[in-house]
Amino acid sequence: MPSSPARKQKIAILGGGTGALAAAFGLVEDPDWRDKYEITVYQLGWRLGGKGASGRNAQRQNRIEEHGLHVWAGFYENAFLLMRKCYERLQRPPNHPLATVWDAFKRHSNISLTDKTANGWQLYNVDIPTDDDLPGEGGELPSVWGYVELVVKWMYELFASEPLAPSGAQAPTAARPIWLGRLAARAHADIAFLGGRIAEALGNRLTARSAALPEAHPALHAAVDFVAALADDIFEHKAQDHHFLGGILEQFHNDLRDFFDASGENVRARVIWNLLDLACASVRGILDDGVLFNGFFSIDHWEWSEWLRRHGASEDTLQSSVVRGTYDYIFGYANGDVTKPSAAAGTCTHGLLRLGFTYKGAVFWEMQAGMGDTVFTPIYQWLKSQGVKFEFFSQVENLALSADKSRIATIRIGKQVTLKNPAAEYQPLVEVNDLACWPSEPVYDQIDPAQAALLQSKKIDLESAWADWAPVQQQTLRDGVDFDIVVLGISLAALKYICPELYGKDSPARTPAQTRWQDMLAHVQTVQTQAVQLWLKPDAAGLGWQYANSQATVLTAFVDPLNTWGDLSHLVAREDWPLGAVPGSSAYFCGPLPDAAVIPPFSDHEFPDKELRRVRGAAVDLLQNDIRWLWPQSVSPRPLTPDPSPPQGRGEFRWDVLEDPGGGNGAERLDSQYLRANINPTERYVMSVPGSTQYRLKAGESGYANLFLAGDWVYTAINAGCIEAAVMAGFAASRAICGFPKDIIGDLN
């Protein structure tokens, strides 16, 4: 008798964010997956994307509505690999709006920073170099020592090529004879351990070659040659080598402080000085704290700014746009309080090095439609074509353990709606200008008419934890019947609500696995965020943006809390504005949203509106008081007053610059824009606070035999809230299950 075919294992993927979808993608990379698995994705509401989801508002020109401002970093190797494969395999026709991945993503290199001075906000614009490389092609990443080499060389080139000293300040080259004497004396004292090759390289730089570039500081000449003379393998170095390199950089660091006047108004010089100060302190910290041997995460018990201060960073640098912009980039503020910056030193340092030294093509890549349209539509279409099933309107309510607490036994799911045709699958996409998109609301025509009418009349948001809506049906999935393997891709802050048994909420004695979960939930923190999208009649030049002739910018380190702005005017063409009312520009603002004094239970259905009013207040405050620094033509003139404080001659925000098809008056026009408070547990941004890294769980080490983890809260080589970390975790979950994908770029294992 022929043996019956083995039963396929059923894999339940919980959540439809980046990590969950990356896990699904990894599973279908297994050539034999159809013979081995049945894969089902269970997703809350009507769309995929998690914190990256976007929607098209059919009632408002099919405009793009995002969770916030999204750009992809050029070092997102795994994320771009995922997107490249999806676009290539879909084989869209050449006339498709986003036919290829490079139609969907374009290089973005223009960054703006802002610093507050006695004369108001100063702007600094920089166009970061681009190249012909493309992310997603893989390759070897630098070691910690490799990063040290790159930073030292970059410091040398930056100092040699930039006009650093403010007017009237003493340039370091003026003190070269004195400094050379100090360095030479130190070199002589340490000559015994340097070795002939290193001593020769250093000596040459200190003598004849030190004048090769008169603009460069001699310490950086020496550091470049000294680093180049050492072996790539740090275990071939002597302990004194790193001590000596640190001494060279310390001397340069001291000289920087001696000549630079931080109160000067040369904003370019100030930013360059801050960058050099930051780089110097970082390398000194890497050398002094054993990071070369123990890795970046070994210093994650330090808060980043405190670690930099400990290694010589100036207070001016720690308050500069360079550092504040870094915290803004990662929403790095405890409980959203901008007076409490919080970022783990090693994770933050590693992330900056990846961002600045391992990008391909450009430091950022900008999506050419909404994130849902650009990212989650092709992923969904590819997975769907391969046979992955999607259960929308599936609210995961509880994961329960087996009697011996070794595995997931049941998953309780609340079915949020009944489809009009229960035998049919929900079709989530809508067509906008020949592009398949996710709508901002469910496609009500596919939902039971009575339920659809009630949802619309009560304006129920099925993605909100505080929605005044109960599931219409309960479903319990059982181990060995409905699933064999679980991939948990729901974001971190929701886990305390849906996984009480996993962390032993009511257990008098926790198992080791429960203790690890309890520690993770206690130490890995999250933060609320807020976003404001504006559609404006003038273009950037008409608003008075002083860099309007350059590439559209992404600006950060501005007024809190909406401290980051992106000019995403190119997206207007993807929307459906009527002739004569097409906005000249589109502006996206975002920032942290401080936690409410009390976050109420989900039965408080008014809470989302209260939080949205806070976002509106922040938007009004920004437009009324501070937007003039970016868009001087967006405010009306006012008579000059004896008050000398800037900006003179500027008055109230001109509300009429906002495009409002409804014709609102004054501040009412803000109601026609898009404001968002990201307060749901699944929307809270995952932070990298000091002392948390060690408590993250790995994708394949959940502590429960049939449970695997995916999301940017999982332990990876990034350990920060970003698309790349989520994809790496999803890939790691898939690899732990089936062995694919075989390689994860930058993986720690």
Side-chain angles (χ1 to χ4, degrees):
M1 292 286 294
S3 59
S4 60
R7 184 180 75 87
K8 295 180 182 179
Q9 287 192 303
K10 296 180 179 180
I11 300 178
I13 299 179
L14 308 183
T18 306
L21 296 178
F25 182 89
L27 289 167
V28 302
E29 288 290 273
D30 182 345
D32 301 320
W33 84 269
R34 288 184 184 84
D35 298 327
K36 293 160 46 176
Y37 307 121
E38 292 179 8
I39 303 171
T40 304
V41 176
Y42 295 88
Q43 169 62 27
L44 174 77
W46 65 94
R47 59 181 170 179
L48 301 177
K51 294 186 287 291
S54 69
R56 296 304 194 103
N57 191 327
Q59 307 304 315
R60 294 184 180 272
Q61 298 76 43
N62 276 314
R63 69 187 187 186
I64 296 166
E65 296 178 339
E66 297 275 5
H67 273 65
L69 171 60
H70 300 288
V71 291
W72 282 40
F75 75 85
Y76 286 2
E77 286 289 332
N78 294 284
F80 271 106
L81 176 65
L82 169 62
M83 297 314 304
R84 290 175 70 159
K85 287 186 175 181
C86 282
Y87 275 88
E88 289 167 4
R89 293 170 183 177
L90 287 174
Q91 295 185 334
R92 289 173 165 175
N95 61 346
H96 189 282
L98 301 179
T100 72
V101 70
W102 307 123
D103 294 324
F105 291 89
K106 299 293 185 184
R107 290 173 173 82
H108 183 93
S109 59
N110 192 271
I111 309 298
S112 299
L113 300 171
T114 59
D115 267 310
K116 188 71 174 290
T117 71
N119 293 323
W121 287 92
Q122 287 190 325
L123 304 178
Y124 177 70
N125 204 55
V126 59
D127 198 28
I128 300 175
T130 61
D131 57 45
D132 294 330
D133 291 339
L134 296 173
E137 295 183 341
E140 188 174 348
L141 294 172
S143 63
V144 180
W145 175 251
Y147 283 120
V148 168
E149 292 181 289
L150 288 168
V151 174
V152 169
K153 181 180 179 182
W154 172 79
M155 290 170 62
Y156 168 82
E157 294 172 347
L158 181 65
F159 193 91
S161 62
E162 289 287 345
L164 182 61
S167 177
Q170 183 183 31
T173 50
R176 176 174 293 164
I178 298 174
W179 192 91
L180 277 172
R182 292 201 297 263
L183 182 60
R186 182 165 187 165
H188 180 74
D190 292 332
I191 201 74
F193 72 79
L194 288 177
R197 185 166 62 92
I198 299 172
E200 180 181 1
L202 181 61
N204 288 343
R205 179 61 79 196
L206 286 174
T207 54
R209 293 168 62 195
S210 62
L213 283 174
E215 300 86 358
H217 196 288
L220 296 182
H221 281 290
V224 168
D225 275 2
F226 187 76
V227 166
L230 293 174
D232 291 336
D233 184 353
I234 58 172
F235 292 99
E236 295 183 20
H237 300 181
K238 299 176 181 177
Q240 300 97 320
D241 295 342
H242 302 155
H243 172 73
F244 187 76
L245 177 59
I248 295 174
L249 295 176
E250 180 182 5
Q251 185 59 64
F252 171 67
H253 216 168
N254 291 336
D255 281 1
L256 274 178
R257 297 190 196 93
D258 290 344
F259 86 89
F260 184 76
D261 177 12
S263 66
E265 292 302 308
N266 184 336
V267 64
R268 183 179 183 86
R270 181 177 183 175
V271 170
I272 299 304
W273 187 87
N274 291 145
L275 286 169
L276 288 167
D277 188 42
L278 175 64
C280 222
S282 298
V283 174
R284 290 175 62 188
I286 288 171
L287 295 172
D288 291 348
D289 289 350
V291 179
L292 288 174
F293 298 95
N294 300 316
F296 287 106
F297 300 153
S298 65
I299 55 169
D300 268 354
H301 57 288
W302 283 98
E303 203 288 312
W304 183 50
S305 287
E306 289 301 315
W307 181 74
L308 291 170
R309 182 181 288 111
R310 180 168 169 257
H311 293 288
S314 73
E315 292 304 314
D316 180 76
T317 292
L318 296 178
Q319 299 302 319
S320 70
S321 60
V322 174
V323 170
R324 288 186 297 108
T326 301
Y327 283 107
D328 293 348
Y329 181 42
I330 59 174
F331 300 101
Y333 302 100
N335 299 317
D337 184 344
V338 295
T339 67
K340 298 177 180 178
S342 183
T347 292
C348 193
T349 301
H350 178 238
L352 284 176
L353 292 170
R354 286 293 310 271
L355 180 68
F357 291 99
T358 69
Y359 71 79
K360 291 180 180 177
V363 65
F364 292 118
W365 288 77
E366 199 167 57
M367 289 170 285
Q368 300 304 295
M371 188 155 175
D373 318 335
T374 307
V375 175
F376 298 109
T377 291
I379 296 176
Y380 168 73
Q381 290 176 329
W382 171 249
L383 293 176
K384 185 73 173 172
S385 73
Q386 297 305 291
V388 175
K389 299 176 183 177
F390 289 85
E391 291 285 345
F392 291 96
F393 305 108
S394 296
Q395 182 175 358
V396 177
E397 296 178 338
N398 186 66
L399 277 70
L401 294 177
S402 57
D404 64 359
K405 298 182 180 180
S406 67
R407 57 193 293 116
I408 306 301
T410 62
I411 303 167
R412 189 175 75 243
I413 290 178
K415 301 300 290 185
Q416 294 178 292
V417 300
T418 304
L419 295 183
K420 182 189 296 185
N421 181 358
E425 292 185 357
Y426 179 71
Q427 303 300 316
L429 301 176
V430 296
E431 200 82 7
V432 180
N433 296 328
D434 300 320
L435 191 62
C437 304
W438 303 87
S440 289
E441 295 181 336
V443 182
Y444 292 111
D445 289 346
Q446 298 181 48
I447 297 175
D448 174 88
Q451 295 174 21
L454 193 56
L455 288 167
Q456 291 175 288
S457 65
K458 295 180 66 174
K459 298 182 179 180
I460 298 297
D461 178 3
L462 289 175
E463 293 177 332
S464 174
W466 284 270
D468 186 9
W469 186 264
V472 299
Q473 179 186 350
Q474 295 290 335
Q475 178 184 15
T476 298
L477 307 181
R478 301 187 181 280
D479 183 23
V481 178
D482 305 294
F483 67 86
D484 301 285
I485 295 170
V486 181
V487 176
L488 181 57
I490 296 172
S491 197
L492 177 72
L495 301 187
K496 70 176 183 179
Y497 301 105
I498 66 172
C499 301
E501 289 188 31
L502 272 65
Y503 67 92
K505 179 182 179 182
D506 299 319
S507 299
R510 294 187 178 93
T511 66
Q514 289 174 323
T515 299
R516 289 194 294 273
W517 275 79
Q518 173 68 20
D519 287 342
M520 178 185 69
L521 293 174
H523 290 90
V524 184
Q525 299 179 19
T526 61
V527 61
Q528 295 180 159
T529 64
Q530 57 184 311
V532 173
Q533 288 177 229
L534 305 177
W535 288 263
L536 304 113
K537 294 177 181 178
D539 60 12
L543 292 169
W545 173 241
Q546 68 185 73
Y547 299 113
N549 292 329
S550 61
Q551 183 188 37
T553 196
V554 172
L555 174 144
T556 192
F558 193 45
V559 178
D560 292 318
L562 294 167
N563 46 42
T564 301
W565 159 52
D567 180 355
L568 271 64
S569 301
H570 67 285
L571 297 182
V572 171
R574 299 290 184 197
E575 300 168 340
D576 271 343
W577 293 85
L579 292 176
V582 179
S585 57
S586 180
Y588 288 44
F589 292 88
C590 68
L593 177 62
D595 281 351
V598 176
I599 296 180
F602 298 146
S603 57
D604 184 353
H605 307 307
E606 303 300 318
F607 182 62
D609 286 338
K610 293 176 183 177
E611 294 299 274
L612 193 60
R613 286 195 290 272
R614 285 209 290 148
V615 177
R616 191 182 192 282
V620 170
D621 188 58
L622 171 70
L623 296 175
Q624 290 281 44
N625 298 315
D626 297 296
I627 202 64
R628 64 193 65 199
W629 296 104
L630 306 184
W631 306 337
Q633 299 305 315
S634 71
V635 293
S636 59
R638 70 180 179 189
L640 295 179
T641 67
D643 182 3
S645 62
Q648 281 287 354
R650 309 311 306 175
E652 296 294 314
F653 179 71
R654 292 170 43 211
W655 294 102
D656 62 299
V657 302
L658 297 178
E659 191 66 69
D660 178 11
N665 295 316
E668 292 176 356
R669 299 178 76 87
L670 188 59
D671 298 330
S672 68
Q673 311 302 299
Y674 185 63
L675 284 64
R676 186 176 184 95
N678 293 311
I679 60 174
N680 287 309
T682 54
E683 296 172 339
R684 293 178 65 101
Y685 183 88
V686 178
M687 302 177 69
S688 305
V689 300
S692 66
T693 301
Q694 62 183 310
Y695 295 106
R696 288 175 176 248
L697 299 175
K698 292 184 178 180
E701 299 179 6
S702 73
Y704 302 103
N706 61 344
L707 179 64
F708 300 84
L709 311 177
D712 57 7
W713 49 275
V714 174
Y715 189 97
T716 65
I718 302 292
N719 287 335
C722 66
I723 295 290
E724 179 72 354
V727 171
M728 292 180 75
F731 281 179
S734 172
R735 187 171 63 183
I737 295 169
C738 70
F740 291 89
K742 293 183 180 295
D743 298 314
I744 302 173
I745 303 164
D747 187 34
L748 293 171
N749 297 322

